[in-house]
Amino acid sequence: MCGRTAVTLGADRIRRACAYHNNRGERKYPEWQNADKYSPSFNKSPQSNSPVLLSRQHFEKNANSSERILVAMRWGLVPSWFKEADPSKMQYNTSNCRSDTMMEKFCYKVPLSKGKRCVVLADGYYEWRQHNGQKQPYFIYFAQTEQEMFTKPEMEDEVEDSKGRKLLTMAGIFDCWEPQNGAEPLYSYSIITVNASECVRFIHHRMPAILDGDEAVKKWLDFAEIPAEAALHLIQPTENIAFHPVSTIVNNSRNNSSECILPIELDPKKNTKINASSTVMLNWLKNKGPKKSDKDEDNLPKWSSQFIQTSPCKKTSMDLMHQWLKKDGEPSAKQMKKQ
């Protein structure tokens, strides 16, 4: 399952991180529909707004279905047929929908039949492992390579296609609820979940359906070209993820600081070690917090598009960690054993 995420980039950096090629081969940046409703956070919970990618054709009927837009949507799908005046009064949880039963449930089946597929963006998500009566939180995200390292371009206009980190791209379903009082329509989503892959099964038996690579993202979003039956084949577990244990401070959704995402050392008897890429990913966060204004982010490492293909990485994660540590003098962490 997926009940908490971290999304720490400002609105403009989210947009730049999502540059892509449409079906005519044109390089594009998705435009925001409502950036003012999005706020970065190290600790996002259901009913908060998160950045979501979807086809522009959902908002403009004559648009190319391969064009993408960004929308800040409420986490927790409110179906279009909901009759109450207050969506928070829904009596069942729609933050996640199971892949094996979503075609049986009306609130998911109807939006899917109308092509309402989206991609939920995040740095990563949190999951809790139950062990000896206690719950230990973990942060889970895409495994990183040299092309996805935090880097600063030498020039402001430098193309960053080969730099930056990969945002986690989770398959979702969305819907639009229109209040009876004529207020502004509410767009909301549910994250699709699948059986956990082998590498994270010891943490939890479920995980989000992660779309690994732009081809999968493209097919999931392009509802006009890819029918639901074909798109559902993309809903599979992935092994291309990394993780590390984090502080229980994340248990309280009101806590919103970099401490939520930083790796911790567990009892050696539990045999849990930190991945090299997690050290590279998180060293810079130790004294940083998410900022809503991109003007305040000039000193932060920049993220670039993961949807523009680059050449394969030639260096190992351990090589990259040593380069990073040599440059910045940060303390090292042990490499995690494969679970």
Side-chain angles (χ1 to χ4, degrees), residues 90-102:
M90 285 188 61
Q91 297 182 356
Y92 50 94
N93 188 340
T94 58
S95 56
N96 294 163
C97 64
R98 293 178 61 100
S99 60
D100 52 341
T101 61
M102 63 184 177

Side-chain angles (χ1 to χ4, degrees), residues 42-113:
F42 284 106
N43 197 355
K44 278 193 175 291
S45 58
Q47 298 191 26
S48 64
N49 287 345
S50 293
V52 174
L53 279 173
L54 63 156
S55 169
R56 181 185 291 274
Q57 199 173 105
H58 289 294
F59 280 74
E60 302 172 22
K61 291 184 179 180
N62 295 325
N64 186 323
S65 61
S66 70
E67 302 283 349
R68 305 174 189 178
I69 59 172
L70 279 161
V71 181
M73 287 193 188
R74 178 188 185 272
W75 186 0
L77 188 146
V78 179
S80 59
W81 43 263
F82 184 66
K83 300 300 182 182
E84 298 286 344
D86 183 358
S88 65
K89 293 184 178 180
M90 285 188 61
Q91 297 182 356
Y92 50 94
N93 188 340
T94 58
S95 56
N96 294 163
C97 64
R98 293 178 61 100
S99 60
D100 52 341
T101 61
M102 63 184 177
M103 295 305 292
E104 302 170 4
K105 296 185 177 181
F106 194 66
C107 63
Y108 304 132
K109 181 179 179 179
V110 172
L112 270 176
S113 68

Side-chain angles (χ1 to χ4, degrees), residues 23-235:
N23 60 10
R24 293 190 293 267
E26 299 168 330
R27 190 176 191 273
K28 295 281 189 176
Y29 290 95
E31 296 179 1
W32 274 98
Q33 293 293 116
N34 56 351
D36 59 307
K37 294 185 177 181
Y38 162 68
S39 296
S41 174
F42 284 106
N43 197 355
K44 278 193 175 291
S45 58
Q47 298 191 26
S48 64
N49 287 345
S50 293
V52 174
L53 279 173
L54 63 156
S55 169
R56 181 185 291 274
Q57 199 173 105
H58 289 294
F59 280 74
E60 302 172 22
K61 291 184 179 180
N62 295 325
N64 186 323
S65 61
S66 70
E67 302 283 349
R68 305 174 189 178
I69 59 172
L70 279 161
V71 181
M73 287 193 188
R74 178 188 185 272
W75 186 0
L77 188 146
V78 179
S80 59
W81 43 263
F82 184 66
K83 300 300 182 182
E84 298 286 344
D86 183 358
S88 65
K89 293 184 178 180
M90 285 188 61
Q91 297 182 356
Y92 50 94
N93 188 340
T94 58
S95 56
N96 294 163
C97 64
R98 293 178 61 100
S99 60
D100 52 341
T101 61
M102 63 184 177
M103 295 305 292
E104 302 170 4
K105 296 185 177 181
F106 194 66
C107 63
Y108 304 132
K109 181 179 179 179
V110 172
L112 270 176
S113 68
K114 296 180 179 180
K116 293 182 178 180
R117 309 192 300 253
C118 64
V119 173
V120 183
L121 302 170
D123 299 12
Y125 73 98
Y126 300 99
E127 193 55 84
W128 282 258
R129 181 193 183 199
Q130 296 193 27
H131 183 70
N132 293 333
Q134 297 182 339
K135 291 184 177 181
Q136 170 59 51
Y138 285 77
F139 187 58
I140 304 171
Y141 47 92
F142 266 137
Q144 306 301 314
T145 63
E146 182 178 21
Q147 282 76 21
E148 296 133 12
M149 291 278 290
F150 287 113
T151 55
K152 291 185 179 180
E154 296 180 359
M155 299 176 61
E156 183 65 26
D157 295 331
E158 179 182 345
V159 176
E160 302 175 45
D161 292 344
S162 63
K163 302 182 178 69
R165 280 187 35 80
K166 293 175 67 176
L167 288 169
L168 201 64
T169 45
M170 298 174 283
I173 303 169
F174 77 93
D175 208 346
C176 179
W177 174 72
E178 298 185 7
Q180 295 179 356
N181 61 6
E184 183 179 1
L186 174 67
Y187 284 85
S188 58
Y189 69 89
S190 179
I191 295 175
I192 300 173
T193 64
V194 295
N195 290 328
S197 58
E198 183 179 354
C199 65
V200 293
R201 196 171 297 151
F202 83 102
I203 301 175
H204 197 276
H205 67 283
R206 303 289 293 178
M207 69 182 298
I210 296 170
L211 300 167
D212 191 359
D214 189 53
E215 187 63 23
V217 169
K218 178 180 179 180
K219 289 180 178 179
W220 182 252
L221 292 179
D222 197 347
F223 69 98
E225 295 294 330
I226 309 297
E229 183 178 355
L232 289 176
H233 290 296
L234 300 168
I235 304 304

